[in-house]
Amino acid sequence: MKKISILIPCFNEEKSLPFLYPELVKLMDGNSQYEWELMFVNDGSRDGTLEVLQQLRQKDQRVNYVDLSRNFGKENAMLAGFDYVTGNCMVIIDADLQHPPTLIPEMIKLWEQGYDDVYAKRKSRGKESWLRKRLSLEFYKILQRSSRFEVLKNVGDFRLLDRCCINALKQLRESERYTKGMYSWIGFKKKEIEFEQGDRVAGESSWSYRQLFSFAIDGITSFTTAPLRISTIIGFIVSVCAFLYMIYVFFKAVLFGDPVQGYPTLVILILFLGGIQMLSLGIIGEYIGRIYNETKNRPDYIVREFNNQRVYQPLHD
Ligand code: UDP
Ligand code: MG
């Protein structure tokens, strides 16, 4: 019998889980030709999520949970899930029911037809402010232009991945993770299906604009070095212009003498060049910071408890 795992990263989801669990039970009972495994990853929730999971585990052995020692962020929580799931395939789903479990049978059907990565694309972005929609569209445009890998817009983590994709993703253990880019980096046979994204059933979305902004920078810097290239090109153009201007100033001074003039030119040049230098340094700094974090080589997450058992040895080595 083939085994299907469902991976659910949870951060402060005690209010959503009572809605989500019955939906998943309905799904599992309706498709009993498969063996099922629910893998909840408690990403350092500050509410009663862990207690809810422990209770579910007690009455239903299909429920598994990994309790992380603190909040590591959704990307790392998902990696913990990749390490712990045991199914022939895995469906990643949000705990807040924004990803309808009713779509999963359709994904499984496509998986049985031989697709390795069946991803769900939102038809609309649901209730979001105009500014947020705009910013995210711009972000995808920039990413698209600057990197060789296609990162699809309106496609999130809601997808079914075959065991071969899970094993591939487990090998990508960088510390600043951008999983959306990794799905396309690993390749494999992909298939798109569409869905209508609802609103959260309970609780609150944990993303602020500040987090989204840093997520965008992570996305770009972890997938492309194009910003470094751009700053090289700008530097080159500016120095060519500066060289031409230097020749002009030199001959003007030689031919016509040099009464003190050109204060505005001087100020403009200093400010302009200073600005460009700062910007380039900042870009280089972003990458150096990333190198620094990567060389520390710390684990991507730390597990406190797995299914009522305290964990002392990491699973992944
Ligand atoms: N999540 C997580 N760790 C975090 C933030 C979020 O595991 O630090 C989980 C959260 O519990 C949910 C999913 O990631 O299951 C998506 O989060 P959310 O609904 O807040 O994001 P949005 O839907 O607004 O993008
Ligand atoms: Mg959500």
Side-chain angles (χ1 to χ4, degrees):
M1 196 156 51
K2 286 184 184 167
K3 187 171 183 182
I4 299 180
S5 305
I6 300 197
L7 167 59
I8 310 120
C10 307
F11 176 57
N12 295 343
E13 300 284 7
E14 71 175 347
K15 294 205 194 77
S16 323
L17 291 178
F19 293 96
L20 176 73
Y21 177 67
E23 291 289 324
L24 293 176
V25 169
K26 232 187 279 168
L27 169 78
M28 296 190 290
D29 293 345
N31 295 275
S32 47
Q33 70 272 36
Y34 296 107
E35 192 185 338
W36 291 89
E37 170 188 69
L38 302 182
M39 184 64 68
F40 293 89
V41 180
N42 178 30
D43 186 16
S45 300
R46 285 183 271 274
D47 62 358
T49 304
L50 180 63
E51 286 72 31
V52 176
L53 292 177
Q54 282 165 338
Q55 280 161 17
L56 290 178
R57 166 81 189 166
Q58 247 163 28
K59 61 175 197 207
D60 186 347
Q61 287 296 306
R62 293 172 297 188
V63 173
N64 296 272
Y65 69 88
V66 181
D67 181 36
L68 301 186
S69 64
R70 64 168 170 85
N71 179 249
F72 282 88
K74 185 184 178 190
E75 306 290 312
N76 294 39
M78 284 195 299
L79 179 66
F82 299 164
D83 287 339
Y84 274 85
V85 292
T86 57
N88 298 98
C89 74
M90 158 185 80
V91 181
I92 310 172
I93 190 169
D94 277 3
D96 54 9
L97 276 178
Q98 278 185 309
H99 300 158
T102 44
L103 203 67
I104 295 177
E106 201 184 320
M107 291 176 155
I108 295 172
K109 222 182 276 164
L110 289 164
W111 173 59
E112 291 283 13
Q113 286 171 19
Y115 291 102
D116 300 316
D117 177 356
V118 184
Y119 59 87
K121 183 177 172 165
R122 271 167 292 180
K123 275 192 216 145
S124 63
R125 290 185 65 93
K127 251 198 274 169
E128 258 182 324
S129 71
W130 175 86
L131 181 65
R132 202 166 146 167
K133 268 183 211 169
R134 192 73 242 153
L135 286 176
S136 105
L137 277 180
E138 287 302 325
F139 164 67
Y140 282 110
K141 244 194 247 161
I142 294 174
L143 198 58
Q144 207 73 89
R145 285 212 200 112
S146 57
S147 110
R148 281 194 299 129
F149 307 102
E150 205 181 359
V151 178
L152 298 159
K153 61 174 172 250
N154 288 347
V155 175
D157 295 310
F158 185 25
R159 58 178 70 220
L160 181 151
L161 295 160
D162 184 74
R163 176 47 60 184
C164 60
C165 300
I166 305 173
N167 289 347
L169 286 170
K170 277 165 75 169
Q171 293 175 40
L172 308 184
R173 305 200 77 86
E174 56 236 55
S175 55
E176 243 117 322
R177 306 183 64 76
Y178 185 65
T179 319
K180 268 191 221 177
M182 294 178 182
Y183 299 129
S184 71
W185 188 88
I186 59 168
F188 291 108
K189 257 180 91 176
K190 298 187 188 299
K191 177 80 183 160
E192 175 177 300
I193 55 176
E194 286 197 324
F195 78 108
E196 199 67 65
Q197 172 158 322
D199 294 319
R200 249 181 181 280
V201 279
E204 264 166 37
S205 169
S206 34
W207 292 95
S208 61
Y209 274 110
R210 197 172 54 96
Q211 281 171 316
L212 282 175
F213 182 68
S214 80
F215 190 57
I217 293 194
D218 279 350
I220 291 175
T221 47
S222 67
F223 257 82
T224 161
T225 45
L228 290 174
R229 179 69 50 82
I230 294 170
S231 79
T232 312
I233 293 172
I234 293 180
F236 179 74
I237 295 173
V238 169
S239 37
V240 169
C241 296
F243 182 72
L244 294 177
Y245 187 64
M246 183 186 83
I247 294 176
Y248 163 75
V249 171
F250 177 76
F251 282 105
K252 201 177 104 182
V254 170
L255 296 178
F256 307 106
D258 186 24
V260 178
Q261 250 182 17
Y263 174 72
T265 326
L266 212 61
V267 170
I268 290 170
L269 278 182
I270 289 174
L271 290 181
F272 177 66
L273 290 182
I276 294 215
Q277 281 169 4
M278 291 296 214
L279 184 72
S280 313
L281 277 180
I283 293 173
I284 297 172
E286 282 290 333
Y287 285 93
I288 293 183
R290 238 146 275 266
I291 297 171
Y292 170 63
N293 278 336
E294 213 61 66
T295 50
K296 282 199 272 191
N297 214 359
R298 295 199 177 163
D300 292 297
Y301 60 86
I302 292 171
V303 179
R304 200 186 81 90
E305 192 178 306
F306 176 62
N307 290 348
N308 291 325
Q309 300 242 299
R310 292 299 300 265
V311 170
Y312 300 101
Q313 287 291 317
L315 180 72
H316 174 83
D317 244 334

